[in-house]
């Protein structure tokens, strides 16, 4: 049974619906990320759960209790803001203790819980420091400690790492996952960063215009996007429109014009009636006519149109009879523009999307 359920929830600003008949279930102890472009509704969903917004329709249930109209100050939720929101005039200890003092917890219990949670976030010994003397990562850990010390029923993150530099973001996302798993706290995490969400989540919800296009574990979404929107969002730059489709036990046979293709069946593929294929630039095999023999399905002749140096590899735009395809290839000496090449689209890497 889900700990948290949003049932047919609608949120609107005047007549502009951000969420309409929206549904989401989260199991106890899991970390779920809401991921998508700006305006997709992920922050609105988080603010609705937190109590900062009120649903026009639908229900919000937590552990079987109706929280739809419960005010924000009555929800025992921890919220970690993008901007840290620390009190500059209070020490680390007092910042973390703030929520406990509002709840009129005894001083001895406050001391015990603050010191324990500072140990969890690796800030023991920082009790007397003030925010101005902390790094960005340390400030974020104080914000996390403040959210955790109240022993919340739910932990909410609103793009908590967007103000940190790249290396610190990587370190902090590892810390967030460690803390969440150590405490076993149910967590909702909002970000627009795909790598960040995929690295820390039990499940990821890819959102688009107020709906969830796909909700699954990160590995499944990464390998098998269900829709064209999800595929494009997670890096499937190449699409093929097929004109014919026929299934057998292990493969789906397709044609694009006169060119045959085969797609290996994977969980979920058979249920789709789609005739649109998608593949990542890294998964297309490119070489000379000798390296990629044009004797079977899934191969195309092409010509290098544009080449770009990416550091570890080169990225090419290849012109073919089915349109232009983007291909990444690690090589010491790049192909020159105008060179004839052949492309192979491996059947186990080519996926069908709605």
């Amino acid at each position: 049974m889900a700990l948290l359920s949003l049932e047919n929830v609608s949120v609107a600003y005047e007549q502009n619906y951000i969420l309409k008949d929206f549904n989401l279930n989260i199991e106890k102890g899991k970390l779920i990320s809401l991921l998508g472009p700006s305006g997709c509704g992920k922050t609105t969903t988080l603010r609705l759960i937190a109590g900062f917004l009120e649903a026009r329709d639908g229900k919000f249930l937590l552990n079987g209790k109706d929280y739809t109209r419960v005010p924000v100050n009555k929800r025992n939720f921890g919220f970690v803001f993008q901007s840290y929101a620390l009190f500059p005039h209070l020490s680390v200890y007092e910042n973390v203790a703030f929520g406990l003092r509002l709840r009129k917890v005894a001083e001895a219990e406050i001391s015990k819980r603050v010191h324990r949670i500072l140990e969890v976030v690796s800030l023991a010994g920082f009790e007397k420091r003030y925010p101005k003397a902390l790094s960005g990562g340390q400030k974020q850990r104080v914000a996390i400690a403040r959210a955790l010390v109240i022993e919340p029923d739910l932990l909410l993150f609103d793009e908590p790492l967007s103000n940190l530099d790249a290396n610190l973001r990587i370190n902090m996302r590892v810390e967030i996952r460690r803390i969440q798993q150590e405490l076993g706290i149910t967590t909702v995490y909002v970000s627009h960063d795909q790598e960040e969400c995929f690295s820390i989540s039990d499940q990821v919800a890819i959102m688009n215009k107020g709906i969830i296009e796909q909700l699954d574990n990160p590995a499944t979404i990464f390998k098998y996007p269900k829709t064209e929107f999800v595929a494009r969002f997670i890096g499937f730059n190449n699409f093929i429109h097929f004109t014919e489709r026929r299934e057998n036990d292990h493969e789906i046979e397709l044609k694009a014009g006169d060119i045959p293709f085969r797609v290996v069946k994977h969980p979920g593929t058979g249920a789709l009636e789609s005739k649109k294929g998608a593949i990542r630039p890294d998964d297309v095999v490119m070489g000379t006519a000798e390296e990629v023999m044009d004797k079977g399905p899934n191969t195309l002749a092409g010509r290098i149109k544009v080449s770009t140096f990416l550091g570890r590899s080169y990225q090419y735009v290849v012109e073919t009879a089915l349109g232009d395809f983007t291909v990444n290839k690690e090589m010491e000496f790049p192909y020159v523009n105008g060179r004839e090449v052949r492309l192979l689209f491996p059947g186990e890497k080519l996926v069908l999307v709605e």
Side-chain angles (χ1 to χ4, degrees):
M1 180 180 174
L3 175 76
L4 182 156
S5 295
L6 298 178
E7 298 179 355
N8 299 315
V9 168
S10 296
V11 175
Y13 299 99
E14 296 181 352
Q15 298 305 312
N16 181 28
Y17 278 88
I18 309 301
L19 303 175
K20 191 169 178 64
D21 299 327
F22 182 85
N23 292 278
L24 176 65
N25 294 300
I26 302 175
E27 294 180 17
K28 186 176 182 179
K30 301 295 185 183
L31 190 157
I32 184 170
S33 288
L34 306 180
L35 175 65
S38 297
C40 70
K42 59 186 185 293
T43 298
T44 296
T45 303
L46 192 74
R47 291 174 64 81
L48 172 73
I49 293 171
F52 299 144
L53 293 175
E54 191 170 297
R56 183 170 290 188
D57 300 296
K59 282 186 177 182
F60 167 31
L61 302 177
L62 184 73
N63 208 18
K65 297 178 181 178
D66 191 342
Y67 269 62
T68 311
R69 300 288 180 254
V70 174
V72 63
N73 62 309
K74 299 294 184 182
R75 302 184 186 199
N76 187 39
F77 299 167
F79 202 108
V80 181
F81 296 91
Q82 178 180 345
S83 59
Y84 318 137
L86 301 180
F87 297 110
H89 63 291
L90 297 182
S91 67
V92 166
Y93 181 96
E94 292 300 332
N95 263 286
V96 176
F98 185 79
L100 296 176
R101 295 201 195 285
L102 287 180
R103 289 163 171 77
K104 302 188 185 305
V105 176
E107 199 60 40
E109 179 66 12
I110 289 176
S111 177
K112 177 183 173 183
R113 286 164 66 171
V114 169
H115 283 97
R116 185 177 67 224
I117 208 65
L118 288 176
E119 288 276 358
V120 171
V121 300
S122 303
L123 283 177
F126 285 71
E127 292 86 351
K128 295 182 179 180
R129 292 198 192 182
Y130 286 81
K132 66 181 180 181
L134 301 177
S135 68
Q138 289 166 343
K139 289 177 184 176
Q140 194 57 280
R141 289 206 294 273
V142 174
I144 293 170
R146 185 177 58 187
L148 290 171
V149 77
I150 63 171
E151 299 177 355
D153 299 316
L154 204 62
L155 184 58
L156 309 175
F157 286 94
D158 185 14
E159 305 214 27
L161 308 183
S162 59
N163 290 335
L164 306 179
D165 62 52
N167 289 333
L168 193 51
R169 279 203 304 271
I170 293 172
N171 293 335
M172 277 306 303
R173 73 191 189 202
V174 172
E175 278 294 289
I176 287 171
R177 185 55 165 163
R178 177 188 66 79
I179 293 165
Q180 187 270 331
Q181 289 186 321
E182 183 177 318
L183 300 178
I185 188 168
T186 309
T187 302
V188 185
Y189 191 100
V190 162
S191 178
H192 63 275
D193 187 308
Q194 176 195 143
E195 184 178 310
E196 186 180 309
C197 288
F198 279 27
S199 67
I200 68 172
S201 304
D202 295 300
Q203 287 191 309
V204 176
I206 308 285
M207 295 184 64
N208 177 32
K209 297 180 180 177
I211 65 168
I212 295 176
E213 295 250 348
Q214 187 168 353
L215 171 61
D216 216 320
N217 66 71
T220 298
I221 293 176
F222 187 84
K223 293 178 182 177
Y224 309 124
K226 286 186 175 180
T227 69
E228 182 177 346
F229 173 84
V230 174
R232 289 187 185 277
F233 189 78
I234 63 172
F236 283 73
N237 297 29
N238 300 309
F239 293 86
I240 303 173
H241 297 268
F242 300 111
T243 53
E244 297 179 26
R245 170 182 167 134
R246 186 175 62 186
E247 293 189 33
N248 59 40
D249 290 341
H250 305 293
E251 293 181 323
I252 300 174
E253 298 176 3
L254 306 119
K255 273 193 174 181
D258 295 328
I259 302 168
F261 284 83
R262 291 177 185 168
V263 176
V264 176
K265 280 188 176 181
H266 57 77
T269 301
L272 297 175
E273 296 299 328
S274 172
K275 291 182 181 178
K276 178 173 280 190
I279 191 168
R280 296 178 183 275
D282 288 334
D283 292 332
V284 181
V285 178
M286 180 175 68
T288 63
E290 295 77 25
E291 293 168 333
V292 181
M293 300 300 290
D294 190 15
K295 290 185 178 179
N298 297 36
T299 57
L300 273 176
R303 182 179 63 84
I304 301 295
K305 193 174 177 181
V306 178
S307 65
T308 308
F309 180 59
L310 300 181
R312 290 183 58 186
S313 63
Y314 286 86
Q315 184 170 88
Y316 299 94
V317 177
V318 182
E319 186 177 35
T320 76
L322 298 181
D324 292 349
F325 292 95
T326 303
V327 183
N328 295 342
K329 183 177 175 68
E330 288 190 30
M331 55 197 315
E332 187 173 353
F333 302 105
Y335 292 148
V336 297
N337 291 352
R339 175 156 187 176
E340 301 294 328
V341 294
R342 292 198 185 279
L343 304 181
L344 170 65
F345 301 82
E348 68 276 11
K349 300 292 187 180
L350 193 59
V351 298
L352 297 178
V353 295
E354 296 173 347

